[in-house]
Amino acid sequence: MAGGLEPDLAALRRELSGPAALSVLLALIAVAVTFLIWRFVQGRRSSRKAVLLLGLCDAGKTLLFARLLSGRYRDTQTSITDSSATYRVSRDKSTSVTLIDLPGHESLRLQFLERFKAAARAIVFVVDSVAFQREVKDVAEFLYQVLVDGTILKNAPALLIACNKQDVTMAKSAKLIQQQLEKELNTLRVTRSAAPTSLDSSGGPAQLGKKGKDFDFSQLPMKVEFVECSARGSKGEEGDADLEGLEKWLVKVA
C-alpha cells in the first residue's frame, strides 16, 4: 500500500515546493505584513485623542470651546495658557475627545503647539471671518507654520478651518476664505522655498503641496474641510451658537 502511494506523495511534495507554493507563501506574508502595519497605524491613531483649537487672538477660540462644552455664552479674554476638557461627541455619550484651546498670541502659539502637536487627532483652525480681509497674511503665516511642521505632516491629523463669527453681516464666506488662504499659502511657499522654517521627518525641507503646481488644500496629506459657524450666535449672548457643522465634523473624527 505504502509503495502504491509513494508516486502520489512525491508528486505532492514537488507541487508544494514549486512556483505555485512560493506564490501562495509570498501572498500570505504580504497579507500578514499589511495587517500588522494597519494594526500599528490604528494603534497610533487611537492613542491620539486631542482636538487642538488654533487661531489668532480674538478669532473666538475660547468662546467656541466654552460653547461646545456647556452650550452657554460666557465672556472671554485673551488666553495666556491652554485649557482642556473632555468633549463627548456621540448621542449616547460613549465617544469622547479631549478639546484643547491653545493661546493665539504670536509669542505663545508655536510654543503651545509644540507641546501638544504629537497628541493631535484633529485640528480646528479658527478664523475670524469678519477681520479676515485685514488679517489674511497673519492667518496664512500661522497656518503655514502648522502645515509644514514635521510631526503634523507625519501624523496628518484631520484639519477643519472654522470660519467663525458668521452672525456678523460683514463676515466673509468659507469659500472666499479658502480661496484667499490658498493664494497666500502659495505665495509663502514660493518666497520661503530658499529658506524653509521647518523640517520634515527625513531632515530635509518640508514641502507644502505639490512642486510645480499652485497650492490648494487637496494636496495636503490630511483631509481639510471648511465650515461656517458662529460661537456667539445670531441672537447674541441670549441665543444659541451656530456650531452644527463643527459638531458633525467632531463626530466624524472622534
Side-chain angles (χ1 to χ4, degrees), residues 160-227:
L160 182 75
I161 311 295
C163 305
N164 193 25
K165 303 187 182 181
Q166 289 292 319
D167 55 293
V168 180
T169 305
M170 299 300 292
K172 300 298 183 287
S173 69
K175 183 176 182 180
L176 184 144
I177 289 172
Q178 178 176 351
Q179 291 171 344
Q180 290 295 313
L181 281 178
E182 287 177 338
K183 181 179 178 181
E184 289 294 331
L185 288 168
N186 188 64
T187 299
L188 280 170
R189 179 179 64 170
V190 173
T191 56
R192 297 196 175 191
S193 59
T197 56
S198 300
L199 300 179
D200 66 16
S201 57
S202 65
Q207 175 65 45
L208 183 67
K210 295 182 179 179
K211 190 174 181 179
K213 293 186 177 182
D214 288 342
F215 173 79
D216 66 69
F217 285 101
S218 67
Q219 298 167 5
L220 294 173
M222 69 283 287
K223 185 173 182 180
V224 184
E225 297 181 53
F226 283 71
V227 298

Short mmCIF file of all heavy atoms in Angstrom, two decimals, residues 160-227:
data_model
loop_
_atom_site.label_atom_id
_atom_site.label_comp_id
_atom_site.label_asym_id
_atom_site.label_seq_id
_atom_site.Cartn_x
_atom_site.Cartn_y
_atom_site.Cartn_z
N LEU A 160 -9.83 71.14 10.21
CA LEU A 160 -11.04 71.90 9.91
C LEU A 160 -10.72 73.38 10.03
O LEU A 160 -10.20 73.83 11.04
CB LEU A 160 -12.16 71.55 10.89
CG LEU A 160 -13.49 72.27 10.63
CD1 LEU A 160 -14.20 71.65 9.43
CD2 LEU A 160 -14.40 72.21 11.85
N ILE A 161 -11.02 74.14 8.98
CA ILE A 161 -10.93 75.59 9.05
C ILE A 161 -12.31 76.09 9.43
O ILE A 161 -13.25 76.02 8.63
CB ILE A 161 -10.48 76.21 7.71
CG1 ILE A 161 -9.23 75.50 7.17
CG2 ILE A 161 -10.24 77.71 7.88
CD1 ILE A 161 -8.00 75.65 8.00
N ALA A 162 -12.46 76.55 10.66
CA ALA A 162 -13.75 77.01 11.18
C ALA A 162 -13.87 78.51 10.98
O ALA A 162 -13.20 79.30 11.66
CB ALA A 162 -13.88 76.65 12.66
N CYS A 163 -14.71 78.91 10.04
CA CYS A 163 -14.89 80.32 9.70
C CYS A 163 -15.92 80.91 10.65
O CYS A 163 -17.14 80.85 10.41
CB CYS A 163 -15.32 80.45 8.24
SG CYS A 163 -14.17 79.63 7.09
N ASN A 164 -15.43 81.47 11.75
CA ASN A 164 -16.27 81.90 12.86
C ASN A 164 -16.85 83.31 12.63
O ASN A 164 -16.46 84.02 11.73
CB ASN A 164 -15.43 81.87 14.14
CG ASN A 164 -16.25 82.00 15.40
OD1 ASN A 164 -17.44 81.67 15.43
ND2 ASN A 164 -15.64 82.50 16.47
N LYS A 165 -17.80 83.67 13.49
CA LYS A 165 -18.46 84.99 13.51
C LYS A 165 -19.32 85.23 12.26
O LYS A 165 -19.44 86.36 11.78
CB LYS A 165 -17.42 86.10 13.67
CG LYS A 165 -16.55 85.94 14.93
CD LYS A 165 -15.65 87.12 15.18
CE LYS A 165 -14.77 86.89 16.40
NZ LYS A 165 -13.89 88.04 16.70
N GLN A 166 -19.93 84.16 11.78
CA GLN A 166 -20.79 84.28 10.61
C GLN A 166 -22.11 85.00 10.93
O GLN A 166 -22.88 85.29 10.01
CB GLN A 166 -21.08 82.89 10.04
CG GLN A 166 -19.88 82.24 9.36
CD GLN A 166 -19.47 82.93 8.08
OE1 GLN A 166 -20.31 83.33 7.29
NE2 GLN A 166 -18.15 83.06 7.87
N ASP A 167 -22.36 85.30 12.20
CA ASP A 167 -23.56 86.05 12.56
C ASP A 167 -23.45 87.53 12.20
O ASP A 167 -24.45 88.25 12.18
CB ASP A 167 -23.82 85.93 14.07
CG ASP A 167 -22.60 86.36 14.90
OD1 ASP A 167 -21.58 85.65 14.82
OD2 ASP A 167 -22.68 87.38 15.60
N VAL A 168 -22.23 87.98 11.88
CA VAL A 168 -21.99 89.38 11.53
C VAL A 168 -22.15 89.56 10.03
O VAL A 168 -21.64 88.76 9.23
CB VAL A 168 -20.58 89.83 11.98
CG1 VAL A 168 -20.34 91.29 11.63
CG2 VAL A 168 -20.41 89.60 13.48
N THR A 169 -22.83 90.62 9.63
CA THR A 169 -23.15 90.86 8.22
C THR A 169 -21.91 90.91 7.34
O THR A 169 -21.91 90.41 6.21
CB THR A 169 -23.92 92.19 8.06
OG1 THR A 169 -25.07 92.15 8.90
CG2 THR A 169 -24.35 92.40 6.62
N MET A 170 -20.82 91.48 7.83
CA MET A 170 -19.61 91.68 7.02
C MET A 170 -18.71 90.44 6.98
O MET A 170 -17.63 90.49 6.41
CB MET A 170 -18.81 92.86 7.56
CG MET A 170 -19.56 94.19 7.51
SD MET A 170 -20.04 94.64 5.82
CE MET A 170 -18.42 94.96 5.13
N ALA A 171 -19.15 89.34 7.56
CA ALA A 171 -18.32 88.13 7.58
C ALA A 171 -18.08 87.60 6.17
O ALA A 171 -18.98 87.57 5.34
CB ALA A 171 -18.99 87.06 8.44
N LYS A 172 -16.86 87.16 5.93
CA LYS A 172 -16.51 86.56 4.63
C LYS A 172 -16.94 85.10 4.63
O LYS A 172 -16.91 84.41 5.65
CB LYS A 172 -15.01 86.68 4.38
CG LYS A 172 -14.51 88.12 4.34
CD LYS A 172 -15.16 88.89 3.21
CE LYS A 172 -14.63 90.31 3.10
NZ LYS A 172 -15.11 91.19 4.17
N SER A 173 -17.32 84.60 3.45
CA SER A 173 -17.79 83.21 3.32
C SER A 173 -16.62 82.23 3.41
O SER A 173 -15.46 82.59 3.17
CB SER A 173 -18.50 83.02 1.99
OG SER A 173 -17.57 83.11 0.91
N ALA A 174 -16.94 81.00 3.72
CA ALA A 174 -15.91 79.95 3.78
C ALA A 174 -15.23 79.77 2.43
O ALA A 174 -14.02 79.53 2.36
CB ALA A 174 -16.54 78.64 4.24
N LYS A 175 -16.00 79.90 1.36
CA LYS A 175 -15.43 79.73 0.02
C LYS A 175 -14.38 80.80 -0.27
O LYS A 175 -13.29 80.51 -0.77
CB LYS A 175 -16.53 79.76 -1.03
CG LYS A 175 -16.03 79.52 -2.45
CD LYS A 175 -17.19 79.48 -3.44
CE LYS A 175 -16.67 79.20 -4.86
NZ LYS A 175 -17.78 79.16 -5.83
N LEU A 176 -14.71 82.06 0.04
CA LEU A 176 -13.77 83.14 -0.19
C LEU A 176 -12.53 82.98 0.70
O LEU A 176 -11.40 83.19 0.24
CB LEU A 176 -14.43 84.49 0.08
CG LEU A 176 -13.57 85.73 -0.23
CD1 LEU A 176 -14.43 86.85 -0.79
CD2 LEU A 176 -12.82 86.22 1.03
N ILE A 177 -12.74 82.59 1.94
CA ILE A 177 -11.62 82.38 2.86
C ILE A 177 -10.70 81.28 2.35
O ILE A 177 -9.47 81.41 2.38
CB ILE A 177 -12.14 82.08 4.28
CG1 ILE A 177 -12.75 83.35 4.89
CG2 ILE A 177 -11.03 81.53 5.18
CD1 ILE A 177 -13.46 83.14 6.20
N GLN A 178 -11.27 80.21 1.85
CA GLN A 178 -10.45 79.13 1.29
C GLN A 178 -9.62 79.63 0.11
O GLN A 178 -8.42 79.35 0.02
CB GLN A 178 -11.33 77.96 0.85
CG GLN A 178 -10.52 76.83 0.21
CD GLN A 178 -11.38 75.62 -0.16
OE1 GLN A 178 -12.54 75.54 0.22
NE2 GLN A 178 -10.80 74.70 -0.89
N GLN A 179 -10.25 80.35 -0.79
CA GLN A 179 -9.54 80.84 -1.98
C GLN A 179 -8.40 81.78 -1.60
O GLN A 179 -7.29 81.68 -2.14
CB GLN A 179 -10.52 81.57 -2.90
CG GLN A 179 -11.54 80.63 -3.55
CD GLN A 179 -12.64 81.40 -4.29
OE1 GLN A 179 -12.82 82.61 -4.08
NE2 GLN A 179 -13.37 80.70 -5.15
N GLN A 180 -8.66 82.68 -0.66
CA GLN A 180 -7.63 83.63 -0.24
C GLN A 180 -6.49 82.94 0.50
O GLN A 180 -5.32 83.30 0.32
CB GLN A 180 -8.25 84.72 0.64
CG GLN A 180 -9.15 85.69 -0.11
CD GLN A 180 -8.38 86.51 -1.13
OE1 GLN A 180 -7.32 87.05 -0.83
NE2 GLN A 180 -8.90 86.59 -2.34
N LEU A 181 -6.82 81.97 1.32
CA LEU A 181 -5.77 81.24 2.05
C LEU A 181 -4.89 80.44 1.09
O LEU A 181 -3.66 80.40 1.23
CB LEU A 181 -6.39 80.31 3.09
CG LEU A 181 -6.84 80.96 4.39
CD1 LEU A 181 -7.48 79.94 5.31
CD2 LEU A 181 -5.67 81.65 5.10
N GLU A 182 -5.50 79.80 0.11
CA GLU A 182 -4.71 79.05 -0.87
C GLU A 182 -3.76 79.98 -1.62
O GLU A 182 -2.59 79.63 -1.86
CB GLU A 182 -5.64 78.32 -1.84
CG GLU A 182 -6.33 77.12 -1.21
CD GLU A 182 -7.32 76.43 -2.13
OE1 GLU A 182 -7.78 77.07 -3.10
OE2 GLU A 182 -7.64 75.25 -1.88
N LYS A 183 -4.23 81.16 -1.97
CA LYS A 183 -3.40 82.14 -2.68
C LYS A 183 -2.24 82.59 -1.80
O LYS A 183 -1.07 82.63 -2.24
CB LYS A 183 -4.25 83.33 -3.09
CG LYS A 183 -3.50 84.40 -3.86
CD LYS A 183 -4.44 85.53 -4.26
CE LYS A 183 -3.67 86.64 -4.99
NZ LYS A 183 -4.56 87.76 -5.37
N GLU A 184 -2.52 82.93 -0.54
CA GLU A 184 -1.48 83.39 0.37
C GLU A 184 -0.48 82.29 0.71
O GLU A 184 0.73 82.54 0.80
CB GLU A 184 -2.10 83.94 1.65
CG GLU A 184 -2.84 85.26 1.49
CD GLU A 184 -1.92 86.41 1.12
OE1 GLU A 184 -0.73 86.37 1.50
OE2 GLU A 184 -2.39 87.34 0.46
N LEU A 185 -0.97 81.07 0.91
CA LEU A 185 -0.08 79.96 1.22
C LEU A 185 0.83 79.65 0.04
O LEU A 185 2.00 79.28 0.21
CB LEU A 185 -0.88 78.73 1.62
CG LEU A 185 -1.55 78.80 3.00
CD1 LEU A 185 -2.56 77.66 3.17
CD2 LEU A 185 -0.51 78.76 4.11
N ASN A 186 0.30 79.78 -1.16
CA ASN A 186 1.12 79.56 -2.35
C ASN A 186 2.24 80.60 -2.42
O ASN A 186 3.40 80.28 -2.73
CB ASN A 186 0.26 79.64 -3.61
CG ASN A 186 1.01 79.22 -4.84
OD1 ASN A 186 1.43 78.07 -4.97
ND2 ASN A 186 1.21 80.15 -5.76
N THR A 187 1.91 81.86 -2.10
CA THR A 187 2.92 82.92 -2.10
C THR A 187 3.99 82.66 -1.04
O THR A 187 5.20 82.80 -1.30
CB THR A 187 2.26 84.29 -1.83
OG1 THR A 187 1.31 84.56 -2.85
CG2 THR A 187 3.29 85.40 -1.80
N LEU A 188 3.56 82.24 0.15
CA LEU A 188 4.51 81.92 1.22
C LEU A 188 5.43 80.77 0.82
O LEU A 188 6.63 80.80 1.09
CB LEU A 188 3.76 81.56 2.50
CG LEU A 188 3.23 82.72 3.34
CD1 LEU A 188 2.31 82.21 4.43
CD2 LEU A 188 4.39 83.51 3.94
N ARG A 189 4.87 79.78 0.16
CA ARG A 189 5.67 78.63 -0.27
C ARG A 189 6.77 79.07 -1.23
O ARG A 189 7.92 78.62 -1.13
CB ARG A 189 4.77 77.59 -0.93
CG ARG A 189 5.52 76.37 -1.43
CD ARG A 189 4.61 75.35 -2.04
NE ARG A 189 3.95 75.86 -3.24
CZ ARG A 189 3.25 75.09 -4.06
NH1 ARG A 189 3.09 73.81 -3.78
NH2 ARG A 189 2.69 75.60 -5.12
N VAL A 190 6.43 79.94 -2.15
CA VAL A 190 7.40 80.41 -3.14
C VAL A 190 8.48 81.26 -2.49
O VAL A 190 9.68 81.06 -2.73
CB VAL A 190 6.69 81.21 -4.25
CG1 VAL A 190 7.71 81.85 -5.18
CG2 VAL A 190 5.75 80.31 -5.05
N THR A 191 8.07 82.21 -1.64
CA THR A 191 9.03 83.13 -1.04
C THR A 191 9.93 82.45 -0.01
O THR A 191 11.05 82.91 0.23
CB THR A 191 8.32 84.31 -0.37
OG1 THR A 191 7.38 83.81 0.59
CG2 THR A 191 7.56 85.13 -1.41
N ARG A 192 9.48 81.34 0.58
CA ARG A 192 10.27 80.67 1.61
C ARG A 192 10.98 79.42 1.12
O ARG A 192 11.65 78.75 1.91
CB ARG A 192 9.39 80.31 2.80
CG ARG A 192 8.79 81.54 3.46
CD ARG A 192 8.25 81.21 4.80
NE ARG A 192 7.80 82.42 5.47
CZ ARG A 192 7.47 82.47 6.75
NH1 ARG A 192 7.56 81.39 7.49
NH2 ARG A 192 7.06 83.59 7.29
N SER A 193 10.85 79.11 -0.13
CA SER A 193 11.45 77.88 -0.66
C SER A 193 12.97 77.88 -0.50
O SER A 193 13.58 76.82 -0.33
CB SER A 193 11.09 77.71 -2.13
OG SER A 193 11.54 78.82 -2.88
N ALA A 194 13.59 79.06 -0.50
CA ALA A 194 15.05 79.14 -0.37
C ALA A 194 15.50 79.05 1.08
O ALA A 194 16.65 78.72 1.36
CB ALA A 194 15.55 80.44 -0.99
N ALA A 195 14.58 79.35 2.02
CA ALA A 195 14.96 79.33 3.43
C ALA A 195 13.79 78.83 4.26
O ALA A 195 13.14 79.60 4.98
CB ALA A 195 15.37 80.72 3.89
N PRO A 196 13.48 77.52 4.20
CA PRO A 196 12.32 76.98 4.93
C PRO A 196 12.50 77.10 6.43
O PRO A 196 13.61 77.03 6.95
CB PRO A 196 12.30 75.50 4.50
CG PRO A 196 13.71 75.21 4.10
CD PRO A 196 14.23 76.49 3.49
N THR A 197 11.37 77.28 7.12
CA THR A 197 11.41 77.45 8.57
C THR A 197 11.25 76.14 9.32
O THR A 197 11.46 76.08 10.51
CB THR A 197 10.30 78.41 9.03
OG1 THR A 197 9.03 77.90 8.59
CG2 THR A 197 10.51 79.79 8.43
N SER A 198 10.85 75.07 8.64
CA SER A 198 10.60 73.80 9.31
C SER A 198 11.21 72.68 8.50
O SER A 198 11.47 72.81 7.30
CB SER A 198 9.10 73.55 9.48
OG SER A 198 8.52 74.57 10.26
N LEU A 199 11.40 71.56 9.16
CA LEU A 199 11.95 70.38 8.51
C LEU A 199 10.97 69.24 8.59
O LEU A 199 10.22 69.11 9.54
CB LEU A 199 13.27 69.97 9.18
CG LEU A 199 14.40 71.00 9.17
CD1 LEU A 199 15.61 70.43 9.90
CD2 LEU A 199 14.77 71.41 7.76
N ASP A 200 10.97 68.39 7.57
CA ASP A 200 10.12 67.20 7.62
C ASP A 200 10.83 66.10 8.37
O ASP A 200 11.95 66.25 8.83
CB ASP A 200 9.68 66.77 6.21
CG ASP A 200 10.85 66.29 5.35
OD1 ASP A 200 11.93 66.01 5.91
OD2 ASP A 200 10.67 66.20 4.11
N SER A 201 10.17 64.93 8.49
CA SER A 201 10.70 63.84 9.31
C SER A 201 11.99 63.25 8.76
O SER A 201 12.73 62.59 9.45
CB SER A 201 9.64 62.73 9.45
OG SER A 201 9.26 62.26 8.17
N SER A 202 12.30 63.47 7.47
CA SER A 202 13.52 62.92 6.88
C SER A 202 14.70 63.87 7.05
O SER A 202 15.81 63.56 6.65
CB SER A 202 13.29 62.65 5.38
OG SER A 202 13.06 63.87 4.70
N GLY A 203 14.44 65.07 7.61
CA GLY A 203 15.52 66.01 7.84
C GLY A 203 15.68 67.04 6.74
O GLY A 203 16.46 67.97 6.87
N GLY A 204 14.94 66.93 5.65
CA GLY A 204 15.03 67.88 4.56
C GLY A 204 13.95 68.94 4.68
O GLY A 204 13.11 68.90 5.56
N PRO A 205 13.99 69.93 3.78
CA PRO A 205 12.98 70.98 3.84
C PRO A 205 11.57 70.43 3.65
O PRO A 205 11.33 69.59 2.80
CB PRO A 205 13.37 71.89 2.67
CG PRO A 205 14.81 71.58 2.41
CD PRO A 205 14.98 70.14 2.75
N ALA A 206 10.63 70.90 4.47
CA ALA A 206 9.23 70.48 4.33
C ALA A 206 8.64 71.08 3.07
O ALA A 206 8.87 72.25 2.75
CB ALA A 206 8.44 70.94 5.55
N GLN A 207 7.91 70.29 2.32
CA GLN A 207 7.30 70.74 1.08
C GLN A 207 5.80 70.91 1.28
O GLN A 207 5.11 69.96 1.66
CB GLN A 207 7.56 69.72 -0.03
CG GLN A 207 6.86 70.02 -1.35
CD GLN A 207 7.38 71.29 -1.99
OE1 GLN A 207 8.57 71.52 -2.05
NE2 GLN A 207 6.47 72.12 -2.45
N LEU A 208 5.31 72.11 1.05
CA LEU A 208 3.88 72.37 1.16
C LEU A 208 3.25 72.17 -0.20
O LEU A 208 3.56 72.88 -1.15
CB LEU A 208 3.64 73.80 1.65
CG LEU A 208 2.18 74.18 1.89
CD1 LEU A 208 1.60 73.39 3.05
CD2 LEU A 208 2.07 75.67 2.17
N GLY A 209 2.35 71.19 -0.31
CA GLY A 209 1.68 70.94 -1.58
C GLY A 209 2.56 70.23 -2.58
O GLY A 209 3.55 69.57 -2.23
N LYS A 210 2.24 70.36 -3.85
CA LYS A 210 2.95 69.68 -4.93
C LYS A 210 3.84 70.65 -5.69
O LYS A 210 3.38 71.71 -6.12
CB LYS A 210 1.95 69.01 -5.87
CG LYS A 210 1.15 67.90 -5.22
CD LYS A 210 0.21 67.23 -6.21
CE LYS A 210 -0.57 66.10 -5.54
NZ LYS A 210 -1.50 65.45 -6.47
N LYS A 211 5.07 70.25 -5.87
CA LYS A 211 6.03 71.10 -6.57
C LYS A 211 5.59 71.34 -8.01
O LYS A 211 5.16 70.43 -8.70
CB LYS A 211 7.40 70.41 -6.55
CG LYS A 211 8.53 71.30 -7.03
CD LYS A 211 9.87 70.61 -6.85
CE LYS A 211 11.01 71.51 -7.29
NZ LYS A 211 12.33 70.85 -7.10
N GLY A 212 5.69 72.59 -8.43
CA GLY A 212 5.35 72.93 -9.80
C GLY A 212 3.88 73.22 -10.03
O GLY A 212 3.47 73.54 -11.15
N LYS A 213 3.06 73.12 -8.96
CA LYS A 213 1.63 73.41 -9.08
C LYS A 213 1.23 74.45 -8.04
O LYS A 213 1.78 74.49 -6.94
CB LYS A 213 0.79 72.14 -8.86
CG LYS A 213 0.95 71.10 -9.95
CD LYS A 213 -0.04 69.96 -9.73
CE LYS A 213 0.04 68.94 -10.87
NZ LYS A 213 -0.94 67.84 -10.68
N ASP A 214 0.28 75.31 -8.40
CA ASP A 214 -0.26 76.25 -7.42
C ASP A 214 -0.87 75.48 -6.27
O ASP A 214 -1.54 74.46 -6.47
CB ASP A 214 -1.31 77.16 -8.06
CG ASP A 214 -0.70 78.18 -9.00
OD1 ASP A 214 0.52 78.40 -8.91
OD2 ASP A 214 -1.44 78.73 -9.83
N PHE A 215 -0.66 75.97 -5.06
CA PHE A 215 -1.13 75.25 -3.88
C PHE A 215 -2.65 75.24 -3.78
O PHE A 215 -3.33 76.24 -4.03
CB PHE A 215 -0.55 75.88 -2.61
CG PHE A 215 -1.12 75.30 -1.36
CD1 PHE A 215 -0.67 74.08 -0.89
CD2 PHE A 215 -2.13 75.95 -0.67
CE1 PHE A 215 -1.22 73.52 0.27
CE2 PHE A 215 -2.68 75.40 0.48
CZ PHE A 215 -2.21 74.19 0.95
N ASP A 216 -3.20 74.09 -3.38
CA ASP A 216 -4.58 74.02 -2.90
C ASP A 216 -4.62 72.96 -1.81
O ASP A 216 -3.75 72.09 -1.73
CB ASP A 216 -5.59 73.75 -4.01
CG ASP A 216 -5.42 72.38 -4.64
OD1 ASP A 216 -5.70 71.36 -3.97
OD2 ASP A 216 -5.02 72.32 -5.83
N PHE A 217 -5.63 73.02 -0.97
CA PHE A 217 -5.67 72.18 0.23
C PHE A 217 -5.78 70.69 -0.08
O PHE A 217 -5.42 69.86 0.76
CB PHE A 217 -6.82 72.62 1.13
CG PHE A 217 -6.55 73.90 1.87
CD1 PHE A 217 -7.09 75.10 1.44
CD2 PHE A 217 -5.74 73.91 2.99
CE1 PHE A 217 -6.83 76.29 2.11
CE2 PHE A 217 -5.46 75.08 3.68
CZ PHE A 217 -6.01 76.28 3.23
N SER A 218 -6.24 70.33 -1.26
CA SER A 218 -6.35 68.91 -1.60
C SER A 218 -4.99 68.24 -1.73
O SER A 218 -4.90 67.01 -1.75
CB SER A 218 -7.14 68.74 -2.91
OG SER A 218 -6.41 69.26 -4.01
N GLN A 219 -3.92 69.01 -1.83
CA GLN A 219 -2.58 68.46 -1.98
C GLN A 219 -1.96 68.02 -0.65
O GLN A 219 -0.92 67.37 -0.63
CB GLN A 219 -1.66 69.50 -2.63
CG GLN A 219 -2.09 69.92 -4.03
CD GLN A 219 -1.35 71.15 -4.51
OE1 GLN A 219 -0.45 71.66 -3.83
NE2 GLN A 219 -1.73 71.66 -5.68
N LEU A 220 -2.60 68.35 0.46
CA LEU A 220 -2.04 68.03 1.76
C LEU A 220 -2.28 66.56 2.13
O LEU A 220 -3.23 65.95 1.65
CB LEU A 220 -2.67 68.93 2.82
CG LEU A 220 -2.34 70.43 2.69
CD1 LEU A 220 -3.14 71.24 3.69
CD2 LEU A 220 -0.85 70.68 2.88
N PRO A 221 -1.44 65.99 3.01
CA PRO A 221 -1.62 64.59 3.41
C PRO A 221 -2.83 64.36 4.30
O PRO A 221 -3.31 63.24 4.42
CB PRO A 221 -0.32 64.26 4.15
CG PRO A 221 0.18 65.59 4.64
CD PRO A 221 -0.21 66.57 3.58
N MET A 222 -3.33 65.42 4.95
CA MET A 222 -4.50 65.28 5.80
C MET A 222 -5.74 65.79 5.05
O MET A 222 -5.63 66.56 4.09
CB MET A 222 -4.34 66.06 7.10
CG MET A 222 -4.34 67.57 6.96
SD MET A 222 -2.78 68.24 6.34
CE MET A 222 -1.74 68.03 7.78
N LYS A 223 -6.91 65.34 5.50
CA LYS A 223 -8.15 65.82 4.91
C LYS A 223 -8.48 67.18 5.51
O LYS A 223 -8.48 67.36 6.71
CB LYS A 223 -9.30 64.84 5.18
CG LYS A 223 -10.59 65.24 4.48
CD LYS A 223 -11.66 64.18 4.61
CE LYS A 223 -12.92 64.60 3.86
NZ LYS A 223 -14.00 63.59 3.98
N VAL A 224 -8.78 68.15 4.64
CA VAL A 224 -9.07 69.51 5.07
C VAL A 224 -10.51 69.86 4.68
O VAL A 224 -10.93 69.64 3.55
CB VAL A 224 -8.11 70.52 4.43
CG1 VAL A 224 -8.38 71.93 4.97
CG2 VAL A 224 -6.66 70.13 4.68
N GLU A 225 -11.26 70.38 5.65
CA GLU A 225 -12.63 70.81 5.39
C GLU A 225 -12.82 72.23 5.93
O GLU A 225 -12.08 72.67 6.82
CB GLU A 225 -13.64 69.86 6.05
CG GLU A 225 -13.57 68.43 5.51
CD GLU A 225 -14.59 67.52 6.16
OE1 GLU A 225 -15.79 67.88 6.17
OE2 GLU A 225 -14.19 66.47 6.70
N PHE A 226 -13.83 72.92 5.38
CA PHE A 226 -14.18 74.26 5.82
C PHE A 226 -15.63 74.26 6.29
O PHE A 226 -16.48 73.62 5.67
CB PHE A 226 -14.04 75.27 4.67
CG PHE A 226 -12.61 75.66 4.37
CD1 PHE A 226 -11.74 74.76 3.76
CD2 PHE A 226 -12.14 76.92 4.69
CE1 PHE A 226 -10.43 75.12 3.49
CE2 PHE A 226 -10.83 77.29 4.41
CZ PHE A 226 -9.98 76.38 3.81
N VAL A 227 -15.91 74.97 7.39
CA VAL A 227 -17.30 75.16 7.82
C VAL A 227 -17.50 76.61 8.24
O VAL A 227 -16.55 77.29 8.65
CB VAL A 227 -17.70 74.24 9.01
CG1 VAL A 227 -17.60 72.78 8.62
CG2 VAL A 227 -16.88 74.55 10.24
#
